[in-house]
Amino acid sequence: MSILHAPVRILGCGSPLMGDDGIGIRIIEALKKTDLEGLEGLDIADAGVCGLDLLNLLDGARKVIIVDAVLTGSRTGSVHRIEGKDLLEGTEPHTLVSVHDLTITDVLRIGEQIQSLPEVVVIGIEIGEVATEISTDINPEVLEAVDEAIRLIREEFSHTL
């Protein structure tokens, strides 16, 4: 199915060269290797460090699940489910900070001004700190979040059917 026509899309964000920031990409890679039974119609894409390009990836979807590294002050490796509408309304109880130039909140706020947005859910994995040197290594505590994140993705998908 084309990325521009999937009713439900999952986007893994992050840089695989910046340590823990690559967790979103690792999760979608792991998801692709799992049994995808029951996930027919789910489009899975590597969105990289997309910034405003994320808006193009939202087009044509009914629901978008974004998987990304976050800094919230929680325990490293903890998994957060965050409603996009809460980010837009500023009612999310955590201070959600992306490790990218623009936060997901910034992109969604720009997007709501210029296009119709799908339902957005963010699965954020707490990384604890931003990498300052190039590395492909991910902290074992962060990697432990992969199974929980995949479980939440499956749950989100099942609620959309």
Side-chain angles (χ1 to χ4, degrees), residues 62-66 70 80-94 96 104-105 108-109 117-124 152 155-156 159-160:
R62 182 178 57 200
K63 182 174 188 172
V64 175
I65 303 165
I66 299 171
V70 296
H80 307 273
R81 182 196 177 279
I82 305 159
E83 292 275 349
K85 66 180 176 60
D86 290 341
L87 293 174
L88 287 168
E89 296 169 1
T91 57
E92 171 53 37
H94 301 293
L96 182 67
I104 293 169
T105 304
L108 292 177
R109 286 186 176 148
L117 294 178
E119 177 186 358
V120 174
V121 172
V122 176
I123 305 296
L152 284 175
E155 190 175 293
E156 284 300 323
H159 290 312
T160 305

